């Protein structure tokens, strides 16, 4: 899924667009990418919000793990594209309703802002998850995560590469051991089993 809204153009210092991309690996996890494009160099504060039902644990690195009965969710902010995490009671509780906790990731900046979050559902045991930005090579240089978001995701020994080109044309690219020219790539879906060395 890829969608955009332009609701913040009315601000005194307009924000041109907010684009959300959502990738789902069936039986695995979701990758959520939010790109915010301001119109000027004015400083803005950006908050990415999640509603989280009790109980939940916020880890020091910003990841959040729900701890309820039945299905649970691990929310993993990707370093370098996340922001400061906070977990607070619902700021606008309503009588007679469940009022979820309010998880927010906050960034402040004067240029385009990028949030990248991996969401991993689980039942009995919280999986071991590492997710980090991976360099993407194209046009004889390393693209910025704003131009192309590359991820290396490790979950319980399974290693995946993910690439989303945000430019509006195809480029020959390289990420880890993977090569291609499509604008969206996931190593497991594309049938590529990447080889890698553990150090």
């Amino acid at each position: 899924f890829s969608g955009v809204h332009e609701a913040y153009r009315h601000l005194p210092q307009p924000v041109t667009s907010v684009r959300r991309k959502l990738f789902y690996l069936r039986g695995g996890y979701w990758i959520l990418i939010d790109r915010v494009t301001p119109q000027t160099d004015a400083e803005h504060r950006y908050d990415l919000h999640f509603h989280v039902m009790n109980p939940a644990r916020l880890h020091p690195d910003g990841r959040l793990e729900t701890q309820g009965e039945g299905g649970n969710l691990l929310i993993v902010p990707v370093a370098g594209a996340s922001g400061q995490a906070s977990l607070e009671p619902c700021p606008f509780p309503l009588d007679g309703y469940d009022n979820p906790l309010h998880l927010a990731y906050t960034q402040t900046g004067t240029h385009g802002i990028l949030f990248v979050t991996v969401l991993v559902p689980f039942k009995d045991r919280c999986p071991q998850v590492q997710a980090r930005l991976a360099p993407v090579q194209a046009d004889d240089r390393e693209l910025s995560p704003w131009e192309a978001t590359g991820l290396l995701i490790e979950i319980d020994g399974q290693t995946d590469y993910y690439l989303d080109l945000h430019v509006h044309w195809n480029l020959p690219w390289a990420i880890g051991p993977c090569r291609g020219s499509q604008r969206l790539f996931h190593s497991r879906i594309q049938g590529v089993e990447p080889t890698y060395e553990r150090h």
Side-chain angles (χ1 to χ4, degrees), residues 39-119:
Q39 187 171 314
T40 69
D41 288 339
E43 185 171 86
H44 289 273
R45 170 181 163 164
Y46 302 97
D47 296 301
L48 174 63
H49 300 280
F50 294 93
H51 292 169
V52 181
M53 293 304 292
N54 283 317
R57 176 185 171 204
L58 182 62
H59 294 254
D61 64 358
R63 66 182 58 201
L64 181 134
E65 170 190 350
T66 67
Q67 299 176 323
E69 296 180 4
N72 282 290
L73 184 66
L74 178 65
I75 300 175
V76 181
V78 176
S82 58
Q84 182 66 41
S86 63
L87 183 65
E88 306 290 342
C90 178
F92 306 106
L94 296 174
D95 291 338
Y97 290 86
D98 289 330
N99 291 292
L101 295 173
H102 189 212
L103 171 66
Y105 297 102
T106 301
Q107 295 187 53
T108 301
T110 58
H111 300 288
I113 295 291
L114 181 71
F115 289 96
V116 182
T117 314
V118 178
L119 302 103

Side-chain angles (χ1 to χ4, degrees), residues 118-181:
V118 178
L119 302 103
V120 185
F122 67 95
K123 287 187 179 179
D124 303 319
R125 180 188 62 84
C126 185
Q128 297 295 313
V129 178
Q130 296 296 324
R132 65 178 186 268
L133 294 173
V136 178
Q137 299 291 329
D139 279 348
D140 298 321
R141 66 184 177 92
E142 183 177 316
L143 302 182
S144 74
W146 181 259
E147 297 170 293
T149 301
L151 294 176
L152 174 61
I153 302 169
E154 294 181 300
I155 300 181
D156 290 339
Q158 170 71 48
T159 299
D160 296 332
Y161 283 92
Y162 173 83
L163 170 76
D164 193 332
L165 279 178
H166 302 304
V167 296
H168 295 288
W169 54 88
N170 291 30
L171 288 173
W173 50 257
I175 178 173
C178 306
R179 305 287 184 273
S181 60

Side-chain angles (χ1 to χ4, degrees), residues 26-42:
R26 186 181 298 275
Y29 50 82
W30 291 270
I31 298 171
L32 185 65
I33 298 176
D34 292 289
R35 297 173 75 248
V36 185
T37 306
Q39 187 171 314
T40 69
D41 288 339

